[in-house]
Amino acid sequence: MAMVFADPEMLDRLAKSLDSKAGAIPQLKSRASALDAGDHVSGLPAIASWLGDTAKDLRRRANILRSPSESPFDSLAAFGLPPGVAGDPDAGKKFQTELKAILEAQKNGTPQQRAQAVKDYFATLSPAQQAALAATDPLLVGNLDGVPVNVRYAANRITIQTEYTKEAAYLATLKPTDGAYKRTQERVDTLRSFLNPRIKSYEDPKTGQDMKIEVSRQFLVFDPHFGSTADAKSSPFPDGRIAEVVGDLENADNVAFRVPGITNRLDNFNGFTNGGYQLAADPNGNERPDSAVVSWLGYDTPELGDSVDPAKAFAGGAALNAFRQGISVNLKPNAGLDIFAHSYGTLVTSKALQAGLTNVDNVTFMGSPGLGPNINSVADFKMPNTKFFAMRAPGDWVSYTQGHGKDPADFKDITRLGTDGASGHSQYYDPSTGSLANMRRIFYGGDAKPLTFTHTSLDDEQIGAAEAREMVGFLHSKVPPEIVVKMGGDLDAAVQAHFAGRTGVKDLLLEVHSVLGKYNMLDRVPPDEMFGKINDLAGNVAYKQTYKAVKDKGAPDFVAAAAGKAAELASEKLLGAVTWPVVKLLEVDRIANDAKQFGEIIDRGTAEIGGHVRELGTELGREGAQIYNDTKELSEGLFKDGGKVVLELGDTVIRPWNAGQNAADIWKIGDDAKDKIFAKVPDIAGGLNDVKNTVVDKGGDIARSAAETGGKALDKGIDIGKGVVKFFGG
């Protein structure tokens, strides 16, 4: 069952069809009258009127769907809350203050303790008071574990309406040619769809008939301001944090969390959550009444460039663990809990399990790039009461490359499930696939149909997959993980610009070339080694493809093996000839890049040493000036005191009777001079010591910079020498 929304364009087409039918009725009535059969079509005018009225109503509904505009009253009423208090801005302030006080008191508690305290508080409020609190602070209430889920749904609907109004107004200021127009329009359209009803299919428990009704969508989490901005030039809005629920979460016997991978955001959320609608349905497309599925986009997913970085998986794992513990207070005590994780979401789930997420019945990994370098088996999780499953569809290159560790589909102690009908990385939830059927059987439990399994090898699934995995392993052995992460971060802006249509392939390749040069990839992975490895692996692929093709035609094994070996040798010879000039061009590029970096090292080192020398001159000038001033001040004081002594002695010669007084004055002048010396000499000595320290410190900086520059220049010079030797075949 795909997620179905009430589509305004579809309603318009239906209204147009009804108008057409109504317009044809007068002609039919006229023909009937001409045939003297007017009495038989007397009801046609009433039908025409009904068709016209229905067409008008359909157009009215289409306009509502295009521009949903509702008040908090409507949002509260949509989930059974009394809307009367929504118009009073002060009605919920008292409860808002009380709720924040509870959260402050529980700030050091576990997620479950905080959620339980919130649940206990809401139990003291009447429905009208809960509604008042939701209307007063919808962003807080809508994302707070422990709040009754219908109150969260209503609060988040209020926030969605506010955000839709704001972002639709921003979209109106953009031109279709603006860089941010496309993604902003997609985001506004998605927000609109959140407010529009969806079509729920279910089986009437009394009649057994398949029924369809319009229902409001249920958002357990909605924060449009959460996370990073994937590409500010494409959209100024953050990626957002969202979780949608299908089913009755508080009364469900079976609850599933779905955890997505990279490039999932608010603007493309419907593509992710559609898998939740598929999982919640039975084979007839009807939602099962005993289940609830949470499509949880509760972490800041990576884009393409930073998908090599596990940092967001650690943060996402902590968030998933906290969400599971917090929402537990709103679930039935005996409700089963399963996790279905896809792609990078499997790494997030792995981090959550390692962070303490233990109360899970079943975990299913799909299209995993690996669960982290420390997880090589189910036993590493130390969760004996949890069942683990893995899926890898044929042609899923994300699993083949193992970017984040060993593929769980290859764990010896995991249950690997079939994916019949699914291929590639993104078809696990497609209808009529074995992967979706198996997920439903895990989720509901006790299904009459058993699980299906597979034990296919990489070669069984896709010839070349094993070689791709080996090539990635080869590159990992050459390039440290921290360099891979930095390169991914540097490349992300260029990748975003390309996929947003702002740059072409040429610009992207130039940026890739620049980043590869920046991180010395041609030194880390010399061209002849890289293409030698590629040639070897391509030979393996040629052997396997030829062997299989010949065997499929009924040839004996030795004939197929001989044909495969011939194809392998021919492939290696051909590729060797083709790649030789490429290798030489890359070696020239390597030499040029190393020479460029050599010049940059010298320039940077010279500038750094020059800076230290200038700093030394400035410091010595300042300290020398201070010493000069102190010495000058002392000399001037002593000169004046000496003059006073001469005057006193002269007075004694002229007037001997003043000798006693003059001697006392000379003694006092001597004391003053001594005080001046004691006061200034330490300053002068300190200044001289500062000069010495400055010379030592800055001299050390100069020496270190010179040594570092020399070392880097020597290393780069050696790289250049190696490159030259490689180029000339040494």
Side-chain angles (χ1 to χ4, degrees):
M1 175 201 70
M3 180 171 53
V4 180
F5 302 117
D7 183 357
E9 283 70 28
M10 178 187 70
L11 295 181
D12 274 339
R13 290 194 297 272
L14 183 56
K16 184 177 180 180
S17 176
L18 294 180
D19 279 339
S20 176
K21 299 294 188 296
I25 284 178
Q27 186 176 1
L28 290 174
K29 190 172 184 299
S30 176
R31 285 185 179 181
S33 297
L35 295 171
D36 198 23
D39 293 341
H40 296 285
V41 294
S42 59
L44 285 178
I47 294 175
S49 177
W50 178 84
L51 289 172
D53 290 342
T54 303
K56 289 179 182 178
D57 184 62
L58 290 173
R59 287 195 175 88
R60 179 185 64 81
R61 288 172 176 264
N63 288 332
I64 292 173
L65 291 175
R66 285 194 182 90
S67 300
S69 179
E70 61 183 23
S71 68
F73 295 92
D74 301 313
S75 295
L76 295 169
F79 295 102
L81 292 169
V85 296
D88 181 0
D90 296 323
K93 287 187 176 179
K94 172 179 178 292
F95 311 118
Q96 180 189 39
T97 301
E98 292 175 348
L99 177 59
K100 289 184 175 181
I102 289 172
L103 294 176
E104 177 62 23
Q106 289 289 332
K107 64 181 180 181
N108 296 321
T110 66
Q112 188 166 354
Q113 289 170 339
R114 290 195 297 272
Q116 187 62 53
V118 170
K119 182 180 180 180
D120 293 343
Y121 173 68
F122 268 80
T124 68
L125 303 179
S126 68
Q129 291 170 333
Q130 292 178 2
L133 180 49
T136 298
D137 198 342
L139 189 62
L140 172 64
V141 173
N143 295 285
L144 189 58
D145 292 334
V147 175
V149 296
N150 68 312
V151 180
R152 289 179 73 166
Y153 299 156
N156 285 325
R157 190 173 178 88
I158 293 172
T159 306
I160 291 168
Q161 175 67 61
T162 301
E163 192 66 18
Y164 167 76
T165 302
K166 182 183 77 174
E167 295 193 20
Y170 172 74
L171 177 63
T173 68
L174 299 177
K175 299 177 182 178
T177 54
D178 289 340
Y181 183 85
K182 182 177 181 293
R183 186 170 287 179
T184 302
Q185 183 181 45
E186 291 170 349
R187 186 169 162 115
V188 169
D189 289 344
T190 301
L191 288 168
R192 181 191 299 116
S193 74
F194 290 173
L195 294 166
N196 291 337
R198 67 176 180 89
I199 306 300
K200 175 182 177 180
S201 300
Y202 69 101
E203 182 182 292
D204 189 315
K206 294 181 180 178
T207 65
Q209 292 182 325
D210 292 343
M211 306 292 289
K212 294 183 185 297
I213 58 171
E214 286 187 359
V215 296
S216 298
R217 297 177 68 179
Q218 303 175 144
F219 290 95
L220 191 66
V221 174
F222 182 77
D223 183 355
H225 310 297
F226 173 84
S228 58
T229 301
D231 181 13
K233 293 182 179 179
S234 292
S235 173
F237 303 106
D239 290 352
R241 183 166 63 106
I242 319 160
E244 183 174 11
V245 177
V246 183
D248 184 354
L249 184 63
E250 291 181 319
N251 296 300
D253 296 322
N254 310 302
V255 177
F257 291 173
R258 299 178 59 247
V259 186
I262 68 171
T263 69
N264 279 281
R265 307 175 299 269
L266 190 157
D267 59 275
N268 60 19
F269 180 76
N270 284 333
F272 163 61
T273 197
N274 187 60
Y277 286 82
Q278 298 288 6
L279 182 60
D282 63 22
N284 295 323
N286 293 323
E287 293 178 22
R288 297 199 28 159
D290 60 347
S291 66
V293 177
V294 182
S295 293
W296 181 83
L297 178 55
Y299 77 105
D300 188 14
T301 65
E303 293 299 313
L304 291 172
D306 58 344
S307 63
V308 297
D309 189 348
K312 288 185 175 180
F314 281 98
L320 177 60
N321 183 28
F323 176 73
R324 168 64 181 105
Q325 307 309 331
I327 199 63
S328 64
V329 305
N330 294 103
L331 306 182
K332 291 175 66 174
N334 59 343
L337 193 286
D338 296 342
I339 294 179
F340 297 90
H342 177 245
S343 193
Y344 191 90
T346 65
L347 183 62
V348 171
T349 301
S350 173
K351 301 304 182 186
L353 297 174
Q354 295 176 69
L357 178 55
T358 56
N359 47 345
V360 181
D361 296 294
N362 302 294
V363 177
T364 302
F365 301 118
M366 293 168 279
S368 176
L371 306 179
N374 61 325
I375 301 295
N376 297 296
S377 68
V378 167
D380 290 335
F381 287 119
K382 298 179 174 58
M383 297 173 63
N385 297 322
T386 300
K387 295 179 180 178
F388 287 86
F389 303 90
M391 296 185 193
R392 183 179 68 215
D396 190 335
W397 292 95
V398 171
S399 288
Y400 295 158
T401 54
Q402 297 189 131
H404 286 283
K406 191 175 180 181
D407 179 5
D410 294 327
F411 289 178
K412 292 181 179 180
D413 57 350
I414 204 165
T415 301
R416 187 176 168 199
L417 302 175
T419 62
D420 294 346
S423 63
H425 189 57
S426 304
Q427 293 185 0
Y428 293 96
Y429 285 94
D430 282 9
S432 303
T433 58
S435 51
L436 179 60
N438 276 325
M439 280 189 276
R440 286 172 174 168
R441 291 164 192 163
I442 292 169
F443 183 30
Y444 299 130
D447 196 299
K449 294 183 178 180
L451 295 168
T452 62
F453 309 99
T454 187
H455 303 285
T456 55
S457 67
L458 296 182
D459 286 337
D460 294 332
E461 298 164 27
Q462 180 87 50
I463 290 178
E467 286 69 28
R469 179 170 288 183
E470 186 176 344
M471 187 67 194
V472 171
F474 168 75
L475 294 174
H476 280 174
S477 70
K478 296 286 186 179
V479 186
E482 62 272 16
I483 297 299
V484 174
V485 169
K486 289 178 180 178
M487 288 176 61
D490 285 356
L491 283 171
D492 193 59
V495 173
Q496 290 289 340
H498 176 68
F499 281 104
R502 297 196 305 274
T503 59
V505 174
K506 180 180 177 182
D507 296 315
L508 177 60
L509 292 177
L510 287 173
E511 184 61 25
V512 170
H513 178 268
S514 174
V515 172
L516 292 176
K518 175 181 177 181
Y519 291 100
N520 303 315
M521 287 301 293
L522 293 177
D523 289 327
R524 298 179 189 278
V525 190
D528 60 334
E529 289 186 34
M530 181 174 67
F531 279 95
K533 188 70 173 179
I534 290 173
N535 289 355
D536 289 343
L537 296 177
N540 292 346
V541 172
Y543 176 90
K544 292 175 181 178
Q545 288 176 331
T546 304
Y547 179 89
K548 183 178 184 302
V550 174
K551 283 288 288 184
D552 288 346
K553 292 185 178 294
D557 189 72
F558 76 92
V559 174
K565 193 63 179 177
E568 178 183 1
L569 293 173
S571 170
E572 290 177 352
K573 194 169 184 179
L574 176 62
L575 277 175
V578 170
T579 59
W580 184 86
V582 177
V583 170
K584 291 303 178 184
L585 286 172
L586 287 175
E587 286 173 353
V588 171
D589 188 37
R590 174 189 180 184
I591 295 169
N593 185 64
D594 285 340
K596 174 174 173 286
Q597 291 186 349
F598 181 85
E600 291 173 349
I601 289 169
I602 297 300
D603 289 344
R604 261 196 317 271
T606 301
E608 187 174 313
I609 293 169
H612 290 319
V613 171
R614 285 192 296 274
E615 288 177 6
L616 175 60
T618 301
E619 290 290 331
L620 290 178
R622 186 167 52 248
E623 291 164 355
Q626 185 61 48
I627 293 171
Y628 171 78
N629 290 334
D630 288 339
T631 304
K632 181 182 177 184
E633 185 178 341
L634 177 60
S635 298
E636 290 175 347
L638 293 177
F639 180 78
K640 290 179 181 178
D641 291 340
K644 291 179 182 177
V645 170
V646 170
L647 290 175
E648 292 291 340
L649 291 174
D651 186 64
T652 301
V653 172
I654 296 170
R655 292 181 291 181
W657 56 86
N658 289 335
Q661 181 61 43
N662 290 341
D665 291 342
I666 291 172
W667 186 264
K668 185 175 183 307
I669 292 169
D671 282 343
D672 290 343
K674 179 185 67 174
D675 291 342
K676 289 174 183 177
I677 291 171
F678 286 157
K680 284 299 177 183
V681 166
D683 290 342
I684 295 170
L688 291 171
N689 190 58
D690 289 342
V691 168
K692 181 193 73 173
N693 291 337
T694 298
V695 171
V696 171
D697 291 344
K698 290 301 174 183
D701 289 341
I702 293 170
R704 280 191 294 273
S705 295
E708 185 177 338
T709 299
K712 289 180 178 178
L714 179 61
D715 290 342
K716 194 53 62 178
I718 292 172
D719 288 340
I720 293 172
K722 288 179 179 178
V724 172
V725 171
K726 285 282 186 184
F727 180 76
F728 287 104

